[in-house]
Amino acid sequence: MKRFAMVAIGFAIAASAWGQAPETAAPQTARQALIEMLFSKNPGTFMKHLPEATLAAIAKSGALTSLQGYSMLATQFQNEAQRKSFQTFETGPVLMTGVSQQSGDKYDVIVDNDSIQGDTDNITISFHTYKGEQLQRTPYMPTLTLAMKQESGVWKLDVVSVTISVPLADPDFLNRITEGMAKAQSHAATALLSQPQARVSVTSFGSDTQVLSAMRTILAAESAYSTTYTSVGYTCTLSDLDGFGAADRNEHQAMLIPSDLAGGRRYGYSFTLSGCTGNPASGFEITATPAGSSFGRRTYCADQAGTIRYSNDGNPATCLASGLPQQ
């Protein structure tokens, strides 16, 4: 009789469990996505949380392999960090905490603000160091605001903003600044006395590799821009590709290249866009011309096809007309 009762109870429990609906997993929060992106053991999660426009631009530039390599490196860092005193938190005021095995110092990443509005979540974090239980003061107080935005139901890292507070009246800060200035002046005076005939070079030219990298950045940005703003097509205004600003991205602030490059002058070169004909514009031309003295410097150019060419006479018109392909 007891055995029958136990069997009956077992069937009743099984029937009850069978009739219950399976629990639905809670959707991933922006903070969970950020932790997964930066600290996951899976190399693919880093790129999973990058915007599609970013991945498309990187793939167009041929740098996707390098990004995948960074993703693998971040994974190795995460595996090593987990073997040490390292922990992340999906809720609460602390995002990450760790202890250095060498110095015993404690490091905290604190969530100062987590503001979600619709499909955007702005997470502001700051960094704190402790020796023993004593918080270490620093004259520079950096904070990061990581704007996460949903694309197709997945949280993506959309914008990274860096803020550095410099307390100009702080005694520690003033001492460090004045001591650094005194040392710099002393070293400069020593160098001038030891080499009285030395001349200081004021050449501001970057290397050809840097100029070519800037060209490829603009070419990739144009490709992403024309794909995103199909009614505009390509743009001949560098500032339209600018990478920073307080407002949301739009056709006049696409947030695709750094502001210094969007200004048109970098590495001693002037970068110019032209040839955007049609509505939407179906093509464009870009030139990189040496600023000031052009002796011995190449002029570079390209169009929407993406092939970079060069000429040795410093004339952008020559490059566009008969430039040789850059190997």
Side-chain angles (χ1 to χ4, degrees):
M1 186 69 180
K2 289 183 178 180
R3 179 176 297 179
F4 175 78
M6 293 297 294
V7 171
I9 292 172
F11 273 112
I13 293 174
S16 175
W18 182 269
Q20 292 178 353
E23 294 185 2
T24 302
Q28 188 180 49
T29 66
R31 180 165 168 174
Q32 289 171 333
L34 180 63
I35 292 173
E36 180 181 62
M37 178 184 187
L38 299 178
F39 304 109
S40 172
K41 294 181 179 180
N42 185 351
T45 54
F46 179 81
M47 293 190 293
K48 168 187 173 183
H49 294 291
L50 287 178
E52 293 299 328
T54 303
L55 292 174
I58 293 173
K60 180 72 173 179
S61 69
L64 190 58
T65 302
S66 299
L67 183 62
Q68 291 169 338
Y70 170 78
S71 181
M72 291 291 293
L73 184 63
T75 301
Q76 293 174 4
F77 165 77
Q78 162 66 358
N79 293 337
E80 178 65 21
Q82 287 189 342
R83 287 193 288 269
K84 299 179 180 179
S85 300
F86 174 88
Q87 190 175 5
T88 59
F89 302 90
E90 296 181 353
T91 58
V94 180
L95 179 70
M96 184 192 76
T97 186
V99 177
S100 170
Q101 290 186 341
Q102 294 180 344
S103 64
D105 295 346
K106 179 185 176 184
Y107 304 93
D108 283 347
V109 179
I110 303 299
V111 178
D112 297 321
N113 185 51
D114 191 347
S115 175
I116 185 169
Q117 297 180 347
D119 63 350
T120 301
D121 192 351
N122 295 313
I123 303 173
T124 301
I125 60 176
S126 58
F127 307 89
H128 301 262
T129 303
Y130 301 84
K131 288 186 180 296
E133 298 296 325
Q134 185 67 37
L135 175 64
Q136 299 301 294
R137 297 181 64 231
T138 173
Y140 303 101
M141 313 280 284
T143 60
L144 292 179
T145 298
L146 308 168
M148 306 291 290
K149 189 173 183 178
Q150 283 196 332
E151 286 186 6
S152 303
V154 178
W155 286 103
K156 310 272 189 171
L157 180 58
D158 188 53
V159 179
V160 178
S161 302
V162 182
T163 302
I164 298 179
S165 300
V166 181
L168 296 180
D170 184 273
D172 292 338
F173 170 73
L174 295 175
N175 287 337
R176 293 187 186 186
I177 290 296
T178 53
E179 289 176 1
M181 293 173 64
K183 289 180 180 179
Q185 288 179 342
S186 176
H187 292 162
T190 302
L192 288 173
L193 289 173
S194 62
Q195 298 181 359
Q197 302 301 321
R199 295 182 180 179
V200 179
S201 173
V202 295
T203 302
S204 59
F205 285 115
S207 67
D208 288 342
T209 300
Q210 291 174 311
V211 178
L212 289 170
S213 177
M215 289 280 290
R216 295 188 181 101
T217 297
I218 297 174
L219 288 170
E222 281 279 17
S223 177
Y225 184 94
S226 65
T227 301
T228 304
Y229 305 106
T230 54
S231 62
V232 180
Y234 297 107
T235 179
C236 277
T237 305
L238 270 173
S239 60
D240 288 348
L241 305 174
D242 197 354
F244 295 94
D248 292 336
R249 65 179 62 192
N250 54 61
E251 65 270 23
H252 298 302
Q253 185 175 279
M255 300 185 185
L256 293 171
I257 63 175
S259 294
D260 53 355
L261 183 55
R265 295 180 71 89
R266 199 173 188 187
Y267 307 126
Y269 273 72
S270 295
F271 295 85
T272 304
L273 288 171
S274 61
C276 294
T277 58
N279 189 17
S282 58
F284 70 95
E285 294 173 338
I286 177 174
T287 58
T289 308
S293 174
S294 61
F295 179 76
R297 303 293 297 187
R298 289 179 172 179
T299 290
Y300 295 98
C301 62
D303 57 22
Q304 68 279 357
T307 300
I308 299 178
R309 305 187 303 278
Y310 72 90
S311 64
N312 291 318
D313 62 355
N315 189 339
T318 303
C319 182
L320 290 170
S322 57
L324 299 176
Q326 173 66 34
Q327 299 299 321

